[in-house]
């Protein structure tokens, strides 16, 4: 019985993640992540954007795209450092979970798309994904991670990251305009 | 993330100090032609600018972060 219940919960969570972009409110009804799991999701979400930035640094020749990618790598690394320092202070070991796994599976698909895109299409493919990814992460942090977090300091860290995510989104949208209609 | 305040009026010759109170690196760069820049400022670092004329500036690392300083007259 217990197994089945857990399975359903995980499924609901994944469904919520998928719906979150359209309906952030739905995610607030899933009390299923422990703080070590929230910390893990946060670290993975940051690592994913760094991995996209690394592909861009290899493949792009566009100055605005390269600068954006550099900023993404630096900022998301800074957030990971903060999260790691806090986890250590709190004695929390980030714990792998279904949400992290889903994020990584999706990221792997995106990585393949980015690697496979033609040199000409790369910049637009990368920046379009950055816009979509930051929107999804903002929805997930607001709608899932912050409400799920028990520890006040971890919650505060997540809240402190929000302005950076919002700025990254606006920055990505600005660069995206360059590629409009291409 | 933003410059706060992002609009400021000062007397000619005043020094404005920019302090990075964020958890990521920022800079302060002249907006139109990037004629000057603070270079990257990590958390807690500050940089001083003497105001001799109106300036529009931005963060070259987060290009949507902008601000301006005007000379009172
Ligand atoms: Cu900045």
């Amino acid at each position: 019985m217990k197994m089945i219940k857990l399975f359903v919960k995980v499924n609901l969570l994944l469904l919520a993640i998928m719906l979150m972009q359209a309906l952030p409110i739905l995610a607030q009804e899933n009390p299923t992540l422990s703080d070590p799991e929230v910390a893990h999701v946060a670290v993975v979400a940051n690592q994913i954007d760094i991995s996209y930035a690394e592909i861009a640094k290899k493949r792009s020749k566009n100055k605005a795209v390269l600068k954006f990618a550099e900023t993404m790598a630096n900022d998301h690394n800074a957030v990971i450092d903060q999260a790691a320092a806090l986890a250590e202070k709190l004695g929390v070991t980030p714990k792998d979970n279904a949400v992290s796994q889903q994020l990584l599976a999706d990221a792997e698909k995106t990585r393949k798309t980015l690697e496979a895109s033609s040199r000409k299409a790369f910049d637009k493919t990368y920046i379009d994904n950055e816009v979509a990814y930051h929107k999804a992460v903002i929805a997930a942090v607001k709608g899932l991670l912050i409400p799920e977090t028990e520890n006040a300091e971890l919650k505060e860290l997540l809240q402190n990251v929000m302005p950076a995510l919002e700025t990254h989104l606006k920055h990505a949208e600005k660069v995206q305009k360059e590629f409009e209609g291409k | 993330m933003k410059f706060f305040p992002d609009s400021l009026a000062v007397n000619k010759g005043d020094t404005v100090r920019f302090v990075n109170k964020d958890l990521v690196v920022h800079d302060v760069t002249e907006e139109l032609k990037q004629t000057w820049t603070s270079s990257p400022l990590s958390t807690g670092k500050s940089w001083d600018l003497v105001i001799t004329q109106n300036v529009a500036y931005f963060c070259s690392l987060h290009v949507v972060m902008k601000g301006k300083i005007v000379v009172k007259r």
Side-chain angles (χ1 to χ4, degrees):
Chain A
M1 256 337 258
K2 195 157 185 225
M3 282 299 291
I4 291 167
K5 206 174 157 200
L6 272 177
F7 184 69
V8 172
K9 265 190 185 171
V10 167
N11 263 340
L12 280 177
L13 200 58
L14 293 181
L15 182 67
I17 295 265
M18 289 190 293
L19 290 173
M20 238 181 299
Q21 236 175 313
L23 299 165
I25 201 82
L26 269 185
Q28 290 170 4
E29 300 175 68
N30 288 277
T32 42
L33 287 182
S34 66
D35 282 6
E37 288 171 335
V38 168
H40 195 275
V41 172
V43 170
V44 165
N46 281 288
Q47 279 168 344
I48 287 171
D49 205 47
I50 293 168
S51 72
Y52 296 155
E54 270 153 15
I55 301 174
K57 283 197 245 173
K58 268 191 296 178
R59 297 209 56 197
S60 181
K61 296 264 189 281
N62 179 289
K63 209 176 152 214
V65 170
L66 287 168
K67 272 214 97 172
F68 175 82
E70 180 78 38
T71 295
M72 290 310 104
N74 289 339
D75 287 7
H76 288 287
N77 263 317
V79 174
I80 290 175
D81 288 348
Q82 294 269 327
L86 179 60
E88 197 182 314
K89 183 187 161 198
L90 299 174
V92 166
T93 307
K95 187 169 179 290
D96 198 3
N97 60 86
V99 179
S100 293
Q101 290 301 322
Q102 185 65 45
L103 286 174
L104 287 169
D106 291 347
E108 180 57 20
K109 280 184 215 150
T110 303
R111 185 189 67 77
K112 283 187 180 139
T113 309
L114 288 172
E115 301 272 17
S117 72
S118 69
R119 192 156 283 293
K120 214 179 148 211
F122 177 82
D123 289 330
K124 184 174 158 40
T125 309
Y126 169 69
I127 213 73
D128 285 353
N129 180 62
E130 283 300 297
V131 169
Y133 186 70
H134 278 86
K135 279 185 186 165
V137 170
I138 287 167
V141 173
K142 240 194 259 181
L144 179 71
L145 298 188
I146 291 175
E148 289 287 292
T149 303
E150 300 286 335
N151 181 275
E153 283 179 272
L154 180 56
K155 202 186 269 272
E156 196 189 345
L157 174 64
L158 293 170
Q159 279 157 346
N160 288 343
V161 171
M162 287 300 297
L165 295 174
E166 308 268 9
T167 302
H168 291 173
L169 173 59
K170 281 189 212 139
H171 189 168
E173 284 171 338
K174 190 175 178 204
V175 179
Q176 190 181 40
K177 286 214 175 85
E178 249 189 70
F179 302 110
E180 244 166 39
K182 280 189 190 169
Chain B
M1 300 191 291
K2 48 177 67 132
F3 290 104
F4 181 83
D6 59 4
S7 176
L8 192 63
V10 302
N11 294 308
K12 190 167 181 171
D14 280 356
T15 299
V16 174
R17 173 164 295 174
F18 294 83
V19 185
N20 182 3
K21 294 190 170 178
D22 199 11
L23 46 88
V24 303
V25 176
H26 296 282
D27 68 26
V28 187
T29 301
E30 192 274 327
E31 191 184 0
L32 278 182
K33 293 185 171 167
Q34 284 99 72
T35 48
W36 47 260
T37 180
S38 65
S39 298
L41 300 168
S42 49
T43 306
K45 291 279 184 296
S46 64
W47 182 73
D48 292 351
L49 179 66
V50 177
I51 305 302
T52 55
Q53 58 183 339
N54 295 350
V55 294
Y57 61 87
F58 76 132
C59 170
S60 77
L61 308 172
H62 307 96
V63 296
V64 293
M65 290 177 63
K66 293 176 183 195
K68 61 181 177 216
I69 300 169
V70 296
V71 175
K72 284 187 219 166
R73 46 171 305 147

